[in-house]
Amino acid sequence: MTTWLAFDIGTTGAKAALIDAQGRVLRSAFRDYPTHSAAGGIVEQSARDWWSAACASAREIDASSAEAIVLTGQMQNVILVDQDAQPVYPVILYSDTRAHTETEAIHKELGAARLQEITGNEQGAGSLLAKLR
């Protein structure tokens, strides 16, 4: 029998569940973490908080019997790490929209229509490209 440890690193917290081969949830736990919001569209979290919450939820359900791990999470977040894979800045969440100036510059350089053609998506202040710039 395969037992899966499934993690979801969500917007409000980390969820862990131990799931059997038939898809039944054997045990589950949730640990929340804070979100920092500020004027100008800033929305950030700490990757270290994600890690702590995931570890605590796994310990709570005694995930030691898991034979495989599944990981899901938020989309379009920017996580900047150093050469040792340690976070060097708070995680810029998908809902962070501070990159208006960067979006305008990208649209001016590439054109909004061309950028959408290349990426398949509208690129706004919440997009990864604008956030990275």
Side-chain angles (χ1 to χ4, degrees):
M1 179 170 116
T2 299
T3 304
W4 298 82
L5 171 57
F7 286 106
D8 176 35
I9 308 304
T11 303
T12 61
K15 300 110 186 152
L18 205 57
I19 303 170
D20 70 14
Q22 288 71 43
R24 293 181 296 236
V25 176
L26 305 173
R27 295 185 292 278
S28 65
F30 173 82
R31 290 287 184 278
D32 65 352
Y33 34 73
T35 299
H36 170 71
S37 299
I42 294 171
V43 185
E44 299 173 338
Q45 289 178 341
S46 166
R48 288 183 176 90
D49 288 346
W50 291 357
W51 178 252
S52 295
C55 290
S57 60
R59 279 190 299 274
E60 181 179 330
I61 64 172
D62 184 18
S64 61
S65 64
E67 299 168 80
I69 297 175
V70 176
L71 181 65
T72 67
Q74 307 168 38
M75 295 174 35
Q76 294 205 63
N77 293 336
V78 175
I79 307 169
L80 302 172
V81 297
D82 64 17
Q83 66 274 8
D84 298 318
Q86 295 302 307
V88 296
Y89 191 84
V91 177
I92 302 171
L93 295 191
Y94 63 93
S95 52
D96 186 302
T97 59
R98 73 182 97 169
H100 293 286
T101 302
E102 293 79 2
T103 301
E104 290 174 17
I106 292 166
H107 285 175
K108 185 176 179 180
E109 289 173 33
L110 299 174
R114 176 68 179 134
L115 191 55
Q116 186 167 356
E117 180 183 315
I118 293 168
T119 66
N121 296 298
E122 183 177 313
Q123 299 294 307
S127 72
L128 289 175
L129 183 57
K131 289 175 186 174
L132 285 170
R133 186 166 188 177

